[in-house]
Every structure is written in structure tokens, then in C-alpha cells.
Amino acid sequence: MDQFNMMWMNDALFLANQAALMGEVPVGAVVLYENQIIGKGYNTRERDQNPLAHAEISAIQEASAKIRSWRLSHCILVVTLEPCPMCLAACQQARMAQVFFGAQDPKGGAISLGYGFHEDPRTHHRFPVTYMENPECSQVLKNFFAQRRKRR
């Protein structure tokens, strides 16, 4: 992972750790526009009792509100965990320019599950999604679920 993307991934990791402190699955996301964060998010599904309260959705909503447009065509999403199909679709709907993620999700990640509609020529918007392996992104999830198993 290059130094530029590592800096933004660290911001997303900070948010993931915030989620973990709240008892949420630790996923964090930032939306960048011209090398500045315009949207931040972390999972709040438990707190909000909302199945849509994923980190990516929150970050996209905040970014859209900030620039007063649902079109984020010049923006980049950096997220600690591979987006699920819903979040990848949200990136497509927002016309995201690019997505970077730090940990794969073989059981819930859109790309791992074969839902590569971000590059399907039949869709209205295509964009690159790049896995930039970051052991810290995986570790925060492993630690969180290990703690949950101990409590049971």
C-alpha cells in the first residue's frame, strides 16, 4: 500500500476502532475529495437498530451532504473491509470514482462473493475497486470477534 493510501486507511482504521468501542463490528470508511476527507463513517447497526447503518453508507451520506450532490464522481472511498453488495451498489449509485479496501470479506464481501457489478459493462457506472492488504484492518476484526466469543 502506498504512503498516500496508507494515510487515509489509518483514518478509516481510527473510525473502525471507534465502532469497536461502541460494540459495533469495527469497520470504518472515509470519502476523499481533492485529498481531503469530506465524509466519515463507521458501523452503527446495533446502536441505531438499522440494517443500513454501514460505515460506507454513513460516509457517502456525509460526503453528499457536504458537497450538496449525490454525485460523488470525483471522490474516492477508503474502507477497512471489503464492501458488501449493498455498499458496493451504493458506491455505484453515488458514481464513486474509486474504492480501496484493506481486508477481504470472503463471507460477505461483494467481490469475494462474485458480485462484480462495479465493472459490469451492462451497468450505468463502472469504477475500479482495489484490495490493498492491510493486516491492521484484518486484526481489528479478529480482535473484536475473539472478544465477543469470550463473553459467550
Side-chain angles (χ1 to χ4, degrees), residues 54 56 81-90 105 108-111 113 117:
H54 288 209
E56 300 94 326
L81 183 64
E82 178 181 347
C84 71
M86 174 184 72
C87 291
L88 190 62
D105 185 359
I111 293 134
L113 294 172
F117 48 83

Side-chain angles (χ1 to χ4, degrees), residues 129-147:
V129 176
T130 305
Y131 170 49
M132 303 197 67
E133 184 178 7
N134 184 318
E136 289 180 67
C137 293
S138 299
Q139 196 59 52
V140 70
L141 288 157
K142 288 175 187 173
N143 292 347
F144 176 80
F145 287 111
Q147 287 288 46

